[in-house]
């Protein structure tokens, strides 16, 4: 398996623009997680899905953030409108419940909002 | 709310020595605790998991201990190598939901 695949790897945008980050989890995994990592706050969980259904979105910072999982092999995290303070590395991770609680992370998307 | 503390200062050691990293947590005891390794520009990679009823876990040169009384986990790398240089993250799941809370990480530098 290719692992968790995220795109794009880097995104530079201007304040006010819409940003969409994409994630393809490992095939067969039934959980998907979106994290944000900054120097100040470390790695924070934003939202997670189980079987494509959002379970906990308490980490989503504001209404400007939204996440969807239309099917088992694809998820998006959207920021609209983007702000400079959204600049961070966004990670997607997936896991398979039957095989324990190990999460497999993608390489991340480095977002810069100017 | 649950809080995890890892030594924010980088740990510098000589090749061949044992590196020991600390993870302290407050409030509730987690169902299990995990350690991940993160290299620059990459996502975290799972290393070891230890459950609340386990005292110690080993994997090759790695060892994790879990003291629920002290609310602390120690992560050891024996016979350290320069290739072990990375940031190590501690993460816990309070109620076995799969929802992980991560520490800030400790950067380890192993010098040849």
């Amino acid at each position: 398996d290719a692992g968790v695949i995220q795109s794009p790897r880097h995104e530079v945008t201007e304040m006010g623009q819409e940003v969409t980050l994409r994630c393809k989890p490992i095939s067969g995994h039934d959980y998907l997680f979106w994290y944000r990592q900054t120097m100040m706050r470390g790695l924070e969980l934003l939202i997670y899905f189980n079987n494509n259904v959002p379970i906990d979105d308490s980490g989503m910072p504001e209404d400007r953030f939204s996440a969807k999982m239309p099917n088992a092999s694809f998820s998006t995290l959207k920021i609209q409108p983007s702000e400079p303070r959204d600049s961070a590395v966004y990670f997607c991770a997936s896991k398979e419940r039957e095989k324990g609680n190990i999460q497999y992370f993608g390489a991340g998307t480095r977002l810069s909002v100017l | 709310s649950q809080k995890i503390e890892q030594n924010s200062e980088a740990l510098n050691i000589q090749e061949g020595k044992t590196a020991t990293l600390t993870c302290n947590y407050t409030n509730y005891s987690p169902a299990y605790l995990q350690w991940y390794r993160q290299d620059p520009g990459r996502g975290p990679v799972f290393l070891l998991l230890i459950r609340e009823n386990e005292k110690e876990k080993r994997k090759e040169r790695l060892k994790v201990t879990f003291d629920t009384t002290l609310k602390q986990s120690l992560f050891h790398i024996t016979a350290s190598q320069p290739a072990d240089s990375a940031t190590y993250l501690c993460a816990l799941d309070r109620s076995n939901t799969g929802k992980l809370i991560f520490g800030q990480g400790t950067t380890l530098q192993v010098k040849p």
Side-chain angles (χ1 to χ4, degrees):
Chain A
D1 202 316
V4 176
I5 299 173
Q6 291 187 246
S7 64
R9 287 297 315 275
H10 303 276
E11 177 80 38
V12 180
T13 190
E14 292 188 347
M15 182 174 64
Q17 295 298 307
E18 176 180 297
V19 175
T20 299
L21 311 181
R22 297 172 176 78
C23 175
K24 177 179 166 54
I26 293 173
S27 176
H29 283 196
D30 50 357
Y31 282 80
L32 184 140
F33 305 82
W34 280 102
Y35 291 88
R36 177 172 68 175
Q37 187 174 40
T38 61
M39 288 293 291
M40 287 296 295
R41 299 176 67 89
L43 193 60
E44 303 175 284
L45 177 66
L46 300 176
I47 184 171
Y48 78 94
F49 296 82
N50 177 216
N51 292 322
N52 314 337
V53 177
I55 303 300
D56 186 339
D57 65 355
S58 59
M60 296 284 262
E62 297 171 33
D63 290 344
R64 298 183 297 105
F65 285 68
S66 63
K68 293 182 180 179
M69 192 163 187
N71 56 63
S73 59
F74 184 65
S75 177
T76 59
L77 178 67
K78 186 178 291 187
I79 308 173
Q80 164 65 16
S82 58
E83 296 182 3
R85 60 191 166 127
D86 302 330
S87 297
V89 181
Y90 291 81
F91 288 103
C92 175
S94 69
K95 82 177 184 88
E96 184 178 3
R97 184 182 179 87
E98 293 301 317
K99 293 192 175 179
N101 294 302
I102 300 167
Q103 295 188 18
Y104 296 84
F105 284 77
T109 295
R110 181 173 294 277
L111 173 65
S112 297
V113 183
L114 307 177
Chain B
S1 62
Q2 190 66 276
K3 190 176 178 183
I4 303 176
E5 291 181 353
Q6 293 186 254
N7 194 340
S8 58
E9 291 184 13
L11 178 63
N12 295 298
I13 64 169
Q14 207 66 35
E15 182 177 8
K17 300 292 186 184
T18 296
T20 299
L21 286 67
T22 304
C23 174
N24 295 299
Y25 59 91
T26 60
N27 298 333
Y28 306 100
S29 289
Y32 59 87
L33 190 145
Q34 299 184 20
W35 284 88
Y36 287 76
R37 168 181 173 145
Q38 187 174 22
D39 290 283
R42 295 177 178 256
V45 175
F46 171 80
L47 295 174
L48 280 169
L49 180 153
I50 187 164
R51 300 190 183 281
E52 59 181 334
N53 60 348
E54 297 175 320
K55 295 283 187 196
E56 182 180 297
K57 209 74 169 285
R58 290 175 184 262
K59 179 183 175 183
E60 298 172 351
R61 295 185 296 111
L62 308 180
K63 184 178 84 171
V64 174
T65 62
F66 197 6
D67 189 325
T68 54
T69 301
L70 292 178
K71 294 188 187 294
Q72 181 181 80
S73 174
L74 298 179
F75 177 79
H76 307 271
I77 305 175
T78 58
S80 60
Q81 305 166 0
D84 295 326
S85 298
T87 296
Y88 292 85
L89 301 166
C90 163
L92 60 85
D93 180 338
R94 189 182 110 193
S95 52
N96 204 24
T97 59
K99 180 178 173 180
L100 292 178
I101 302 170
F102 281 84
Q104 290 273 57
T106 298
T107 298
L108 171 67
Q109 194 74 275
V110 181
K111 298 182 179 178

